[in-house]
Amino acid sequence: MAMATRKGPSPAGTLLIEDALKKIVHKNNIAPVKGDKHSGLVPTGSHSVFGDYPPDLIHPDPWKKMTRSASGPELLNTGGMNQHVAFTVPQNCRPHTAILPSTPPRAGSTRRRVITRTEFRRFYDRGDLPVQIFHGAVGGKLAWKVDIEKLDYHHYLPIFFDGLREKEDPYRFLSVQGTYDMLQNGGSKILPVVPQLIIPIKTALNTRDTEIMTTMLKVLQSLVLSGEMIGEALVPYYRQILPVLNIFKSKNINIGDQMDYSQRKRMNIGELISETLELFEIHGGEDAFINIKYMIPTYESCVLA
């Protein structure tokens, strides 16, 4: 089944437009990726185009993380008070002057995870990828140095899938647009590569980052529709893909009776998960529903009457 062509900006162009909108709305937070780098959630780039500086010439604390603690240790957020005896002292035995125990810790199931350095960034910085940005197009366009039909999909497609968890351009734009171009022109070359795509897919979904998860869900939908038997080839790997989707399945935007003007961006992760699961069931064969139901018990079939 051929993928339907979409009107409007490409998925990678939509991410660029969303970044520009965030800069307009949140003027005080122009570079959110920099904050993620400071907190260690996003990998930092190289010190220069020639690589990193020698360790003996680098400041021991380049991000100055210890500045705040050195000037005022009491300003640091150390969590709840009295953690070592939390919920261990009975209510009747606690003196009136005792500090109330801290609240139980959060499970953190939806907390963002650290994004490790991708193979796509390493290959692109080394100049091993046959892609470059064509700056003449509105919203950006990808220029391939070779014909996509002649690419070795066993080598390049997993690399581009691994780059889908990038949050910094040009790596994000190149990986997202390159993945869609390869899926659109791959044909029969995609099906044999499906087992190699599971680890990049699982790694991207396990970051628990909403932006990365929505991008990966859209790519999964295009992957299922890019050729025959691909949906059935994904069924044995539901145990690796679906557990994270079960956590975020009910995460929808609750705006009451207001109008959601951002529907065209398709950034609502709850709706994307429902769409993806329905595509899995439709194109996954007769065993798809029971495997989805096993991993996501709240899923209801869109095929069975």
Side-chain angles (χ1 to χ4, degrees), residues 186-198:
S188 60
K189 293 183 178 181
I190 302 176
L191 181 59
V193 194
V194 169
Q196 302 181 39
L197 305 179
I198 302 304

Side-chain angles (χ1 to χ4, degrees), residues 151-171:
L151 289 175
D152 182 8
Y153 271 61
H154 283 275
H155 176 70
Y156 285 108
L157 191 57
I159 295 175
F160 276 87
F161 264 73
D162 190 57
L164 292 176
R165 67 176 188 269
E166 286 284 353
K167 298 200 65 172
E168 191 175 9
D169 291 320
Y171 309 106

Side-chain angles (χ1 to χ4, degrees), residues 268-282:
N268 189 345
I269 189 170
E271 293 181 357
L272 279 175
I273 290 175
S274 299
E275 295 175 7
T276 306
L277 294 177
E278 290 176 1
L279 281 176
F280 281 177
E281 182 186 1
I282 294 173

Side-chain angles (χ1 to χ4, degrees), residues 53-112:
Y53 298 127
D56 54 340
L57 298 179
I58 302 177
H59 191 277
D61 185 23
W63 288 102
K64 294 181 174 57
K65 294 182 179 179
M66 299 300 296
T67 304
R68 186 180 180 184
S69 61
S71 61
E74 69 279 355
L75 299 178
L76 292 177
N77 183 14
T78 58
M81 297 181 297
N82 207 14
Q83 288 184 344
H84 61 289
V85 293
F87 298 101
T88 58
V89 182
Q91 180 69 33
N92 296 333
C93 300
R94 183 184 297 117
H96 296 288
T97 58
I99 301 176
L100 292 178
S102 59
T103 57
R106 296 181 60 181
S109 61
T110 59
R111 179 176 52 84
R112 293 171 55 188

Side-chain angles (χ1 to χ4, degrees), residues 189-291:
K189 293 183 178 181
I190 302 176
L191 181 59
V193 194
V194 169
Q196 302 181 39
L197 305 179
I198 302 304
I199 292 180
I201 292 173
K202 178 183 177 181
T203 306
L205 293 176
N206 281 334
T207 59
R208 318 276 172 110
D209 188 285
T210 306
E211 179 184 319
I212 296 176
M213 291 185 66
T214 52
T215 301
M216 180 54 71
L217 289 171
K218 297 174 187 176
V219 171
L220 280 175
Q221 295 180 15
S222 299
L223 176 64
V224 173
L225 299 176
S226 60
E228 297 180 355
M229 302 295 295
I230 295 180
E232 297 182 16
L234 288 173
V235 174
Y237 305 102
Y238 282 173
R239 290 174 180 263
Q240 285 77 33
I241 300 175
L242 299 187
V244 180
L245 304 187
N246 187 31
I247 299 174
F248 290 86
K249 184 176 181 294
S250 60
K251 190 175 182 181
N252 286 298
I253 300 176
N254 186 9
I255 57 176
D257 59 348
Q258 299 179 7
M259 183 176 294
D260 184 13
Y261 291 97
S262 61
Q263 291 185 37
R264 61 181 179 84
K265 301 176 185 176
R266 302 178 67 220
M267 300 295 290
N268 189 345
I269 189 170
E271 293 181 357
L272 279 175
I273 290 175
S274 299
E275 295 175 7
T276 306
L277 294 177
E278 290 176 1
L279 281 176
F280 281 177
E281 182 186 1
I282 294 173
H283 298 275
E286 57 183 7
D287 296 331
F289 171 68
I290 190 171
N291 283 276

